[in-house]
Amino acid sequence: MNYPFANGRIAAIDNHILDRTKLAKLAKTPKKDFQATLVELGYTDSSSGTLEDVINREINNTKALLDEISPQKEFTDLFFLENDAINIKALYKMKIYGLDNDTFKSSGIFSRKFLEDVILHGYMEGLSKELKKFFESINAKIIDTTNPRLISAIIDNCLFGYLLGMLRKKPNPILKTYFQAKIDMTNVLTLIRGKKLNWNQDQISEMFINGGNINISQLTKASLKTDFSNSFGEVYNGKVNSGLKKYKETSRIDQLEMYFDELLLELMKVYEYDAFSIGPIIYYFLKKQAEAKNIRLIYANDGLELNNLLQY
């Protein structure tokens, strides 16, 4: 299978994503009819279970389709590996604190059994050299670490280090653009949350992820300022600063998160019609994730205005 064929499949199903007209209808739907309306609108073919069950089935079905049609699964696996971070963090914390963990997000590439074997039991036979190094790096860095915040930061750094390392070995400019933007936006949100929690400079800096376009020294300098809305120059054509200026006016971190979600979509939209690349696959999956967020927002907020939904 090649990219033009795979992206032709994507183009054929793209119009099934809920547009503004369908989302407007959903926003007027009573809670008791919400899941049935999702079936009527073509989002899903089954309303069984909770709303979260419906959404997770759709996301997992989308991932399965993209896995099936991807001409270079090693690249789509890198994209989906990011979704394993929640499970990896949960299992390491389960190992360290001896807690039970009944939740497992299934939209990544690793099964629960695989991660339990590697993380809880240290079974690494059969792993690639790079993947073995990834888990060994986490193990080495979390020794004597009991702070859950630092454990999460260590795993994030190791994960993105692994992803970017694989892309140095097998370059893919589109995936590199995506992951570096994800790192940058995560770091800026970390900076804001740290400031709101009155963390000191060291506490904030140890949470930053390496490898983005905004270097750690820029972020550290910004953490010392009361107003850091002009700290990041023309990164992403000045759009990070623009988002921070809006945040300065509202102090709504949820709105800034949505702003960054839309910025990621905008960055990937450039590749939407690049028929010979992974771009359309990534952009489609990001739209499906944005669609799911919109559905959750509508369900949780009666009378929500459409301009408060993610644009895609």
Side-chain angles (χ1 to χ4, degrees):
M1 195 174 294
N2 56 37
Y3 275 120
F5 177 83
N7 291 329
R9 290 277 301 273
I10 294 296
I13 60 174
D14 185 73
N15 62 359
H16 294 163
I17 291 179
L18 301 182
D19 59 18
R20 309 306 277 182
T21 301
K22 291 180 179 179
L23 290 171
K25 180 175 181 178
L26 193 61
K28 297 175 183 175
T29 300
K31 294 285 194 298
K32 64 183 179 64
D33 301 322
F34 201 85
Q35 287 162 225
T37 302
L38 285 173
V39 175
E40 179 188 333
L41 294 173
Y43 176 75
T44 180
D45 57 5
S46 171
S47 62
S48 64
T50 65
L51 176 63
E52 204 57 35
D53 291 333
V54 171
I55 291 172
N56 286 336
R57 270 200 308 271
E58 180 63 15
I59 292 292
N60 289 334
N61 288 342
T62 302
K63 179 187 175 295
L65 170 66
L66 300 186
D67 276 343
E68 176 191 334
I69 67 175
S70 175
Q72 292 178 290
K73 194 170 181 297
E74 68 269 29
F75 285 143
T76 44
D77 275 355
L78 287 182
F79 180 69
F80 292 132
L81 179 60
E82 185 190 349
N83 296 331
D84 288 292
I86 294 172
N87 296 330
I88 292 171
K89 290 173 186 177
L91 286 173
Y92 268 105
K93 290 174 184 178
M94 177 179 173
K95 179 180 181 180
I96 291 166
Y97 303 122
L99 302 174
D100 290 332
N101 177 36
D102 295 327
T103 62
F104 190 86
K105 301 289 184 182
S106 56
S107 55
I109 64 171
F110 296 133
S111 70
R112 178 164 189 148
K113 182 181 185 308
F114 171 86
L115 288 178
E116 287 181 347
D117 284 346
V118 172
I119 295 170
L120 302 183
H121 309 301
Y123 183 78
M124 297 195 187
E125 287 188 30
L127 269 63
S128 68
K129 180 176 70 174
E130 294 82 6
L131 205 52
K132 185 177 180 182
K133 183 179 177 182
F134 164 61
F135 284 108
E136 286 179 341
S137 177
I138 296 174
N139 291 340
K141 290 176 180 178
I142 64 170
I143 289 176
D144 299 326
T145 302
T146 57
N147 185 323
R149 176 175 57 83
L150 292 183
I151 291 168
S152 292
I154 287 167
I155 291 170
D156 283 337
N157 259 298
C158 289
L159 177 66
F160 281 102
Y162 169 79
L163 292 169
L164 294 175
M166 293 300 291
L167 291 174
R168 285 192 291 272
K169 183 179 177 182
K170 279 192 169 184
N172 185 297
I174 297 173
L175 277 173
K176 184 179 179 182
T177 296
Y178 170 78
F179 286 128
Q180 288 189 311
K182 187 76 173 178
I183 289 169
D184 289 329
M185 292 167 202
T186 299
N187 281 340
V188 172
L189 289 168
T190 294
L191 168 59
I192 290 172
R193 291 189 179 102
K195 298 282 279 185
K196 286 179 75 72
L197 291 168
N198 294 316
W199 291 349
N200 62 38
Q201 180 187 341
D202 289 340
Q203 288 174 309
I204 294 174
S205 295
E206 64 192 1
M207 296 298 294
F208 291 140
I209 302 168
N210 293 292
N213 289 307
I214 302 173
N215 62 52
I216 300 299
S217 64
Q218 280 180 282
L219 290 158
T220 301
K221 287 177 184 176
S223 72
L224 297 173
K225 299 176 181 177
T226 302
D227 178 7
F228 46 85
S229 58
N230 284 308
S231 295
F232 304 112
E234 290 304 308
V235 177
Y236 306 111
N237 296 317
K239 290 182 179 177
V240 171
N241 280 352
S242 295
L244 288 173
K245 287 170 185 171
K246 291 178 182 177
Y247 170 75
K248 182 182 173 183
E249 295 170 2
T250 65
S251 296
R252 291 280 302 275
I253 197 166
D254 58 326
Q255 291 182 359
L256 182 61
E257 287 175 336
M258 290 187 68
Y259 176 88
F260 282 157
D261 283 341
E262 290 182 346
L263 181 52
L264 272 174
L265 281 161
E266 181 183 327
L267 290 170
M268 290 297 103
K269 187 175 177 61
V270 174
Y271 308 105
E272 181 181 13
Y273 301 111
D274 189 349
F276 296 93
S277 79
I278 197 174
I281 292 174
I282 293 176
Y283 185 62
Y284 178 76
F285 191 74
L286 287 177
K287 285 202 294 183
K288 289 296 291 182
Q289 290 181 312
E291 175 188 51
K293 288 180 182 178
N294 281 343
I295 291 170
R296 292 185 182 105
L297 281 168
I298 290 170
Y299 188 79
N301 299 277
D302 292 333
L304 186 71
E305 297 288 335
L306 290 185
N307 59 7
N308 291 322
L309 296 175
L310 285 165
Q311 308 282 334
Y312 47 76

